[in-house]
Structures are given as structure tokens and as C-alpha cells.
Amino acid sequence: MSVLPIATVGDPVLRERAQEVAPEELRSPGVQRLIDDLIETRRAAGGAGLAANQVSVTRRIAVVEVDEHTRYAYKPRVPLTVIVNPVIQPLSRERLLINEGCLSVPDLRGDVERLVAVRVHYVDRGGNPRELDAHGLTAGTFQHEVDHLDGVLFLDRVKDPRSFSTWEQFARHHEQAFLRRIAPYAAPSAGAG
Ligand code: ZN
């Protein structure tokens, strides 16, 4: 496994729609190694997830994992989940304003509206069709990763540019109010496979 370089905003690879992965391709050593590298790169960088576009590969593969080492201390833990060809199904129309960051957008955060409850349909790395339900911040994380596979960054979804802040200024001025606001949505929620 290796830690791969992460593409940053302005790199056209982040604006491409990633392509579906065919079953035989998913079984190939190259794609299985890519998945291992995504896992290792996410762990090294400390994000809540990582999509293939972010390591300059335009295939519909992403990993989500929230452990004690992620840089979002308030996010509910999510076990390692590899999603291939994911599709988001809204489970309600309710939306939540979540302050997000992104490994591809260094030192910037902003408020983004996300669906509060989603079902994620995907294929696991063994080629098995699966689905999981996610709520609150965890639902937001899955939507953020699937956005990457469509060439969308959280920046595109920020409705109020005044919500932009560096990580330091967020912690200093905005984090407490944010944590109070999202408290009802921060409970553990994802069943992952
Ligand atoms: Zn991101």
C-alpha cells in the first residue's frame, strides 16, 4: 500500500465525472491496489473520506472511515466502508446545514446544505451489492464523497460565502455554535459493510 498525492482545487481531475467500475475491473489487482491506497491515503491525511478523483483516478470508488484519528473530533465514528459505483437515495426531504472541509481544499471550511437521511446503494470491494442508511453528519460525509465522483466540490454548494473560514478561525469563532446546532444530528448512525 502507498500514500498517494492528493489533488487540490484547481486541478481539472476534481471536476471530472468519474466512470463506473465494471465487475471484472473491480476484481483486477490494479483496482484492488487502488482501494488499498485510498484507505492508506485517507488514514495518513485524517479526512473522513477520500474519493478516487482526489488521487487523480476518475473511477467511481470512495472510502469513508471516521476513527479517533480524523480531524473532525465531533463526527460519529464510521467503520471503514469502501463504496464502488455508489448512488444516493434521499430518505426524506429534510436538510441540514453542515460545516465541511475537504482534503482537496486546504485550510478552508464552509456551510453546506445536505440531506439529513440517505440510503447509499453501492458495490463493496468484493463485488457484492450493498446498501446502508446514514443520518446527520454521517449522511453528509457520504454525500460529500459521492459529489467528488461527480466532479462537485463542497465549495460549489456553499450558499453563503460569508461562512468560509480557515480551520483555525472556525475553531476560534464558530465551532461551539456549530456543535450546539448539530448536536441532535451527531449521534452514531451508519451501518456499514
Ligand atoms: Zn472532499
Side-chain angles (χ1 to χ4, degrees), residues 3 20 25 38 58-59 86 103-104 134-136 153 155 167 174 184:
V3 173
E20 273 75 13
E25 205 184 354
L38 280 169
T58 51
R59 311 318 303 265
L103 293 172
S104 293
H135 298 87
L153 298 176
L155 304 170
W167 280 65
H174 308 291

Side-chain angles (χ1 to χ4, degrees), residues 49-51 54 71 101-105 144-145 148 152-154:
L50 190 67
Q54 293 180 276
R71 56 186 187 157
C102 178
L103 293 172
S104 293
V105 184
H144 179 115
E145 299 312 324
H148 273 302
V152 173
L153 298 176
F154 84 88

Side-chain angles (χ1 to χ4, degrees), residues 5-175:
I6 295 178
T8 49
V9 57
D11 189 326
V13 75
L14 295 173
R15 294 311 191 171
E16 280 184 48
R17 184 188 182 276
Q19 297 302 303
E20 273 75 13
V21 182
E24 63 275 13
E25 205 184 354
L26 180 56
R27 283 192 291 271
S28 71
V31 168
Q32 290 294 319
R33 189 170 57 244
L34 167 66
I35 291 171
D36 288 336
D37 291 348
L38 280 169
I39 293 167
E40 184 161 329
T41 304
R42 188 219 63 81
R43 288 180 177 161
L50 190 67
N53 306 49
Q54 293 180 276
V55 298
S56 304
V57 179
T58 51
R59 311 318 303 265
R60 301 188 78 76
I61 304 172
V63 300
V64 169
E65 184 179 31
V66 179
D67 57 23
E68 67 273 25
H69 303 298
T70 69
R71 56 186 187 157
Y72 303 93
Y74 50 82
K75 284 201 182 192
R77 302 285 164 87
V78 180
L80 173 64
T81 308
V82 176
I83 54 174
V84 179
N85 300 337
V87 175
I88 299 276
Q89 174 193 352
L91 292 180
S92 80
R93 296 172 65 177
E94 192 188 349
R95 287 169 186 270
L96 167 68
L97 200 60
I98 299 178
N99 186 276
E100 296 190 4
C102 178
L103 293 172
S104 293
V105 184
D107 203 19
L108 193 67
R109 305 182 55 131
D111 286 343
V112 181
E113 259 192 12
R114 296 290 187 190
L115 294 163
V116 168
V118 297
R119 179 163 296 158
V120 186
H121 302 267
Y122 64 100
V123 173
D124 68 19
R125 68 181 299 174
N128 309 297
R130 289 187 181 256
E131 57 182 47
L132 66 83
D133 291 354
H135 298 87
L137 297 183
T138 305
T141 299
F142 280 97
Q143 289 166 79
H144 179 115
E145 299 312 324
V146 175
D147 266 358
H148 273 302
L149 302 179
D150 292 328
V152 173
L153 298 176
F154 84 88
L155 304 170
D156 312 350
R157 296 192 183 278
V158 170
K159 288 218 175 89
D160 183 357
R162 291 173 303 176
S163 73
F164 282 126
S165 68
T166 64
W167 280 65
E168 181 189 355
Q169 298 300 341
F170 177 75
R172 185 176 298 163
H173 298 292
H174 308 291
E175 186 164 16

